[in-house]
Amino acid sequence: MEIKALLVDDEEQCVKTLREGIDWEKLGIQEVFGAYNAVQAREIMERETISLILCDIEMPGESGLEFISSVREKADLNDENVECIILTCYPDYKFMRKAMQIGCSDYLIKPLDGEEMMAVLEKAVEKIRKKFEKDEKEKKLFQEASKSPLPEMQQNIIDGKVIPYIKEHFAEPLTVAEIADHAALNAQYMMRLFKKKTGISVLEYVTDCRMEKAKEMLRGTDWNNEIVSEKLGYASSGYFIKLFKKTYGVTPREFRKASNL
């Protein structure tokens, strides 16, 4: 397997130091990319399969916590193999707690200690490898199961258990594993079954549910984007605005203005 890492920090020197000061090859990491803000980081992730992210908290525009939150949501709902580590100069308990809540592997304080950094990275790489091996086994099992027609009962599970569960919990942090457990299905199998049944991925379906609810909130309340995004389960209002515009072609503000005419 090939492991690629992404370093995200608005301080260019910090990115350079991490790229040059760590023995990435020894860790088993083949490529290391650098970005200086969340926008650049997303552009890299659109063209590269990133398995490990080291991200600073304090960045202009979208913070590291907001960026990681959106990355983790996408990874959790696509069952992707991504480990995230937060870097910061401030040992703030609230930041640490939030980092753990959004599924970060660890939280490192600058200036970084070399031995501690290597220990944390080794642990993250081991988790990546174990998940990769688990996914490969599940894919083989699914390929074997796919050779025979899907029982109607299993197809009906999507309508009877999966979709109702998503509709009830879409504003909460959701993972494919959690949804699959509810339906008593293997996660990889459930994802493929869901797409075969609905024509879209679990992530796309959750996003559609949230965007529909966003329209309802924008028409029926005077809540600002921060409140709406929080009630939809997004840590970043900027990320919510980007998704809303991508879905409907207008910003939440433009939509609300048009709805009130």
Side-chain angles (χ1 to χ4, degrees), residues 7 11-22 24:
L7 314 175
E11 295 181 19
E12 294 187 29
Q13 185 57 46
C14 184
V15 172
K16 183 180 179 182
T17 300
L18 287 171
R19 291 184 81 163
E20 297 176 357
I22 293 173
W24 298 101

Side-chain angles (χ1 to χ4, degrees), residues 14 18 54 87-88 108-114 116-117:
C14 184
L18 287 171
L54 282 77
L87 310 176
T88 183
L108 294 172
I109 310 297
K110 298 177 182 178
L112 302 170
D113 176 82
E116 181 186 15
M117 169 68 81

Side-chain angles (χ1 to χ4, degrees), residues 201-257:
S201 69
V202 173
L203 174 62
E204 289 170 323
Y205 188 83
V206 171
T207 300
D208 286 348
C209 287
R210 287 175 171 170
M211 292 301 103
E212 281 297 317
K213 186 64 176 179
K215 288 198 299 183
E216 182 183 317
M217 290 179 181
L218 292 168
R219 280 193 294 251
T221 75
D222 60 357
W223 293 334
N224 60 29
N225 289 329
E226 285 73 21
I227 295 175
V228 172
S229 63
E230 183 180 339
K231 288 187 176 294
L232 291 172
Y234 293 119
S236 164
S237 59
Y239 181 59
F240 158 64
I241 292 168
K242 180 181 177 181
L243 279 179
F244 192 92
K245 187 169 184 178
K246 182 180 178 181
T247 304
Y248 298 118
V250 294
T251 65
R253 182 179 179 182
E254 290 167 341
F255 175 83
R256 173 174 273 159
K257 185 177 180 181

Side-chain angles (χ1 to χ4, degrees), residues 72-73 75-79 101 131 134 138 157 161-188 190-191 202 206 210:
R72 281 257 48 97
E73 178 193 44
D76 287 343
L77 288 173
N78 282 332
D79 204 31
Q101 285 177 336
K131 186 168 191 312
K134 179 173 177 286
E138 290 183 349
I157 287 176
K161 285 195 173 183
V162 175
I163 287 177
Y165 187 82
I166 292 174
K167 284 183 175 180
E168 184 178 351
H169 299 280
F170 68 80
E172 304 167 15
L174 275 175
T175 68
V176 160
E178 175 189 336
I179 299 168
D181 282 347
H182 176 75
L185 293 173
N186 168 275
Q188 291 283 330
M190 188 275 289
M191 288 172 64
V202 173
V206 171
R210 287 175 171 170

Side-chain angles (χ1 to χ4, degrees), residues 73-118:
E73 178 193 44
K74 182 176 179 292
D76 287 343
L77 288 173
N78 282 332
D79 204 31
E80 293 174 337
N81 198 3
V82 182
E83 290 296 315
C84 303
I85 297 168
I86 284 288
L87 310 176
T88 183
C89 296
Y90 309 103
D92 188 296
Y93 171 72
K94 289 186 293 185
F95 284 159
M96 293 181 185
R97 185 168 179 269
K98 181 62 177 177
M100 295 303 105
Q101 285 177 336
I102 61 176
C104 291
S105 300
D106 222 312
Y107 187 106
L108 294 172
I109 310 297
K110 298 177 182 178
L112 302 170
D113 176 82
E115 289 186 9
E116 181 186 15
M117 169 68 81
M118 285 299 289

